[in-house]
Amino acid sequence: MSMAYEEYMKQMVKPMREELVHNGFKELLTADDVENFMDHVEGTTLVVVNSVCGCAAGLARPAVNQALLNSTKKPDHLVTVFAGQEKEATAKMREYFVGIEPSSPSMALLKGKEVVHFIHRYDIEDHPMEAIMENLMGAIEVHG
């Protein structure tokens, strides 16, 4: 890939990253970042597999941010990987989603290293933001 293309993509996805980072999410950019985080994680973690697609922009990220603002309970950790951008980090995180097909965008609520709730792309696409938000808030209330 050309450097111009890579720079273009970096600039294009910057606001998509910032939408989560500004709301408390830590980006895991490498497979080592994911491993180091998962090796020491305790409590609950919300993982967002970010994406450039329209359902991530119009539904997933807004639903996550609103769910966190409106939940009485909060996960202990908020992390994100970016599908299609940090491919190795995303692949490494997906190794922890045992038995779950890759999906982006998606959201996983973990207790320790175990997925206790997963929201697939098909749970996001063509659903109202409020339904996605309620799905996530319900999981956080039960497991958070």
Side-chain angles (χ1 to χ4, degrees):
M1 269 186 249
S2 77
M3 292 300 284
Y5 174 77
E6 288 191 22
E7 185 56 33
Y8 169 77
M9 287 304 295
K10 205 188 278 189
Q11 292 306 312
M12 188 180 94
V13 302
K14 187 177 180 185
M16 298 172 198
R17 294 176 183 285
E18 290 173 352
E19 193 171 351
L20 293 174
V21 172
H22 287 307
N23 285 290
F25 281 82
K26 175 182 174 153
E27 288 187 291
L28 302 178
L29 302 172
T30 68
D32 284 345
D33 288 349
V34 173
E35 252 180 63
N36 290 334
F37 176 81
M38 293 302 287
D39 282 350
H40 301 97
V41 72
E42 293 182 7
T44 56
T45 302
L46 177 59
V47 179
V48 174
V49 178
N50 204 351
S51 174
V52 298
C53 72
C55 64
L59 296 170
R61 290 189 301 269
V64 166
N65 291 329
Q66 287 300 309
L68 291 171
L69 280 174
N70 291 295
S71 290
T72 56
K73 291 185 178 181
K74 307 285 186 235
D76 299 311
H77 310 280
L78 304 172
V79 298
T80 181
V81 293
F82 207 122
Q85 300 302 305
E86 286 82 42
K87 294 175 185 171
E88 294 82 12
T90 303
K92 178 55 76 177
M93 183 57 80
R94 285 177 171 156
E95 289 177 15
Y96 293 94
F97 302 162
V98 178
I100 298 172
E101 290 293 316
S103 179
S104 59
S106 60
M107 303 164 208
L109 188 62
L110 286 72
K111 270 204 168 203
K113 296 177 185 166
E114 178 188 355
V115 176
V116 294
H117 189 77
F118 196 86
I119 300 175
H120 295 265
R121 179 186 179 109
Y122 60 74
D123 297 317
I124 297 168
E125 203 169 34
D126 299 325
H127 288 81
M129 188 198 68
E130 295 77 14
I132 303 159
M133 191 175 101
E134 288 172 13
N135 183 344
L136 183 57
M137 285 174 63
I140 291 170
E141 291 301 318
V142 169
H143 301 288

